[in-house]
């Protein structure tokens, strides 16, 4: 995955993740940030779901209305980065199609929008249960938990679909970079995916 170069005309865009809790969104987003940061001449802003919940949206819960508000806030910050020619990476569950589509409309207008569905199935996420939340949700201790007692609407319009059941984080991030090249957001010729500008292969 060497040979990826500067982005198209320094146009900003947003990489918007969606998927169940425990699907791998945050880890892939962090790996993707590491791959892109400093390699394509655009500032990369990572808006991780948990960090957003702790800071920007600490007043919100998990009703549909609050989740929609959360996504609107994330979209607003991503738009600021995107309009300035940056790359925003947003990693949150974003369970509702309408909220994702509203973010898409706004961010396409700001520069570009790529929806990445981390489609790791519920049973795999639940088996992993990295935060122990599925067990609590099954025990009825967390109400309205996505995938258990709250809806997740799979996106019909994702540009990229990755399933981390059999694919490593690195492979998933590389697949996303390949798609960004195919979609014209990144150009080949640089060293994205390699540490410190060294070719990766
Ligand atoms: S979103 O629906 O508004 O996009 P977001 O990604 O910000 O959700 O937050 C999801 C994270 O909050 C989960 O990874 C989990 O750690 C935590 N969480 C706490 N309660 C819930 C819940 N009821 N449903 C889903 N996630 C929850």
């Amino acid at each position: 995955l060497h040979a990826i170069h500067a982005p198209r005309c320094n146009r900003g865009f947003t990489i918007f993740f969606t998927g169940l809790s425990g699907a791998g969104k945050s880890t892939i987003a962090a790996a993707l940030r590491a791959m892109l940061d400093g390699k394509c001449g655009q500032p990369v802003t990572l808006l991780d779901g948990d960090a957003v919940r702790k800071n920007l949206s600490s007043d919100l819960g998990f009703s549909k209305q609050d989740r929609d508000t959360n996504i609107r806030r994330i979209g607003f910050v991503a738009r600021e980065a995107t309009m300035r020619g940056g790359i925003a990476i947003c990693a949150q569950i974003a369970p509702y199609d309408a909220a994702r589509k509203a973010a898409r409309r706004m961010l396409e207008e700001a520069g570009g929008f790529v929806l990445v569905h981390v489609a790791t199935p519920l049973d795999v996420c639940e088996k992993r249960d990295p935060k122990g939340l599925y067990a609590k949700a099954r025990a009825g201790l967390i109400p309205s938990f996505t995938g258990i007692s709250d809806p997740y609407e799979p996106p019909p319009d994702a540009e990229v679909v990755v399933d981390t059941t059999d694919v490593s984080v690195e492979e998933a991030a590389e697949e996303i970079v390949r798609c960004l090249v195919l979609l014209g957001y990144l150009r080949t010729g640089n060293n994205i995916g390699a540490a410190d500008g060294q070719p990766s292969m």
Side-chain angles (χ1 to χ4, degrees):
L1 205 68
H2 59 297
I4 291 163
H5 216 305
R8 172 177 71 186
C9 321
N10 272 355
R11 199 175 86 181
F13 60 96
T14 292
I15 304 162
F16 193 96
F17 284 83
T18 179
L20 295 169
S21 181
K25 303 181 297 297
S26 291
T27 358
I28 298 171
L32 188 61
R33 197 247 294 256
M35 280 182 190
L36 298 179
D37 212 11
K39 303 238 171 60
C40 56
Q42 284 172 293
V44 182
T45 304
L46 175 61
L47 295 168
D48 182 69
D50 286 339
V52 167
R53 282 277 173 183
K54 209 171 148 202
N55 297 281
L56 188 63
S57 292
S58 57
D59 56 323
L60 300 179
F62 291 90
S63 65
K64 178 175 186 302
Q65 192 185 359
D66 279 9
R67 290 179 198 262
D68 285 351
T69 303
N70 186 41
I71 299 308
R72 272 199 303 277
R73 289 179 187 176
I74 292 165
F76 173 79
V77 179
R79 183 175 63 164
E80 292 298 305
T82 298
M83 281 192 315
R84 289 176 148 353
I87 300 172
I89 302 175
C90 312
Q92 60 290 306
I93 298 178
Y96 294 110
D97 194 50
R100 291 189 302 254
K101 289 214 166 89
R104 173 187 289 280
R105 278 193 297 276
M106 181 173 78
L107 289 159
E108 277 180 348
E109 199 174 304
F113 180 87
V114 179
L115 184 63
V116 179
H117 183 198
V118 183
T120 312
L122 177 63
D123 60 316
V124 176
C125 297
E126 191 169 355
K127 226 170 275 161
R128 289 182 187 162
D129 205 5
K131 304 176 198 163
L133 296 176
Y134 282 99
K136 285 189 184 161
R138 287 286 186 201
L141 299 173
I142 307 175
S144 308
F145 194 80
T146 306
I148 305 294
S149 45
D150 216 47
Y152 179 79
E153 300 172 358
D157 56 347
E159 275 79 6
V160 191
V161 181
V162 290
D163 176 343
T164 62
T165 309
D166 305 308
V167 166
S168 73
V169 167
E170 288 299 309
E171 286 168 326
E174 286 177 4
E175 172 66 17
I176 294 164
V177 169
R178 268 193 293 276
C179 290
L180 292 171
V181 172
L182 284 176
L183 292 167
Y185 287 108
L186 298 171
R187 283 197 279 123
T188 54
N190 210 348
N191 291 321
I192 290 175
D196 301 314
Q198 295 303 308
S200 60
M201 309 199 311

